[in-house]
Amino acid sequence: QQQVKQSPQSLIVQKGGISIINCAYENTAFDYFPWYQQFPGKGPALLIAIRPDVSEKKEGRFTISFNKSAKQFSLHIMDSQPGDSATYFCAAGNAGGTSYGKLTFGQGTILTVHP
Amino acid sequence: DAGITQSPRHKVTETGTPVTLRCHQTENHRYMYWYRQDPGHGLRLIHYSYGVKDTDKGEVSDGYSVSRSKTEDFLLTLESATSSQTSVYFCAIRSLAEAFFGQGTRLTVV
C-alpha cells in the first residue's frame, strides 16, 4: 500500500521560532509533493508544492526541502506566527494524466504557535 | 474555494440508511474527487471522476458508490451507512496544477 508517513503528530513552537514537519514516502513513482494547511471547520488549502527535480522551494516564510534519494521531504516555517496555528498535511502524487489529484496524504501535524 | 459547494454540511443518520452527499462545482472542471478525513489517517481517496460518467475507485471505496451525470455534480452515496463511515468528507477538483478542496461534510452515523 502506498504510504506517506508524517511526523510529528503535534508541534508547539514559540512565536518567531522555526516549525519543521517531516514526511517520508515509499512509492518512487510519485513526482508531486504538496503541503496543505487546514484550519478548523475548513477544507485543506494548498500551501506550497515541489517537484523532485529541485531540492528546495521557498515561498515567503514557507520552505520545502526535498531529498529524493532518502525519499523524504519537509516543511519549514520560518518566523512562526500564531496565525500559522493549524493542521498541516503533506501529500504525494503524480502531476500528470488521470492520476493527478489522487493524492496520498500523511497523517497530519497539529501546529500550535504560542504568542 | 474554487467554486466548490458541498451539501449538506452536517448530517446525522442511522445505521443501515442510505446517504447521498453532493459536490457541486461552477467552473467546469473535468476531474473531481471524494476524500474522507479521519484522525490519524489524514485524507484518503474514496472515488474520483475524470469526466461525465467516468469514475474509478480510490483507496477506501468499499461501501461507497459515486455518480457523475453532469460535469458540475459529483455524488457520493453510502448504500447502507455504518458507524465506521462516520467521518468528514471532502470533495476536491483539479484545476491546472493544483487540487482545491471544498468545505467538507461532517457525517455522523448513529
Side-chain angles (χ1 to χ4, degrees):
Chain A
Q1 182 178 0
Q2 300 175 352
Q3 285 190 335
V4 176
K5 296 183 179 179
Q6 182 173 345
S7 63
Q9 284 187 299
S10 61
L11 180 62
I12 300 174
V13 301
Q14 295 297 315
K15 179 182 177 181
I18 302 173
S19 303
I20 302 175
I21 305 171
N22 300 298
C23 285
Y25 64 97
E26 298 178 354
N27 187 348
T28 55
F30 289 145
D31 62 3
Y32 176 70
F33 303 89
W35 283 89
Y36 284 84
Q37 179 188 58
Q38 184 181 32
F39 293 105
K42 302 294 185 181
L46 180 66
L47 190 61
I48 186 172
I50 197 168
R51 299 288 300 273
D53 52 344
V54 297
S55 60
E56 185 175 283
K57 182 176 181 179
K58 182 177 181 180
E59 291 185 359
R61 296 185 294 109
F62 301 91
T63 299
I64 298 179
S65 297
F66 184 80
N67 186 329
K68 186 175 181 179
S69 61
K71 294 188 288 185
Q72 295 176 347
F73 57 110
S74 60
L75 176 69
H76 296 236
I77 305 175
M78 311 300 289
D79 186 26
S80 298
Q81 300 296 313
D84 296 331
S85 297
T87 301
Y88 292 81
F89 293 97
C90 63
N94 296 102
T98 59
S99 294
Y100 187 85
K102 292 173 59 181
L103 297 170
T104 299
F105 281 82
Q107 295 84 354
T109 297
I110 301 172
L111 172 65
T112 303
V113 182
H114 286 315
Chain B
D1 63 357
I4 303 169
T5 303
Q6 291 187 233
S7 59
R9 293 294 311 280
H10 302 273
K11 186 172 182 63
V12 179
T13 192
E14 294 185 348
T15 299
T17 61
V19 177
T20 296
L21 309 182
R22 181 186 185 224
C23 179
H24 179 79
Q25 54 124 339
T26 59
E27 299 180 2
N28 205 37
H29 297 291
R30 178 182 175 189
Y31 294 89
M32 300 183 73
Y33 310 83
W34 276 108
Y35 286 84
R36 60 177 289 175
Q37 182 177 13
D38 305 288
H41 292 276
L43 288 90
R44 292 177 291 175
L45 182 65
I46 305 171
H47 281 281
Y48 64 101
S49 169
Y50 44 96
V52 173
K53 297 186 179 180
D54 290 325
T55 64
D56 206 346
K57 297 179 180 180
E59 178 187 355
V60 290
S61 60
D62 288 348
Y64 301 95
S65 63
V66 290
S67 65
R68 192 167 179 204
S69 58
K70 299 183 292 184
T71 298
E72 58 265 36
D73 290 324
F74 191 30
L75 305 180
L76 177 70
T77 297
L78 289 66
E79 302 291 348
S80 177
T82 68
S83 59
S84 65
Q85 294 175 312
T86 292
S87 186
V88 181
Y89 291 86
F90 287 99
C91 172
I93 58 93
R94 167 184 171 179
S95 175
L96 298 177
E98 299 182 9
F100 294 91
F101 287 81
Q103 298 286 345
T105 294
R106 182 173 295 277
L107 176 67
T108 302
V109 183
V110 297

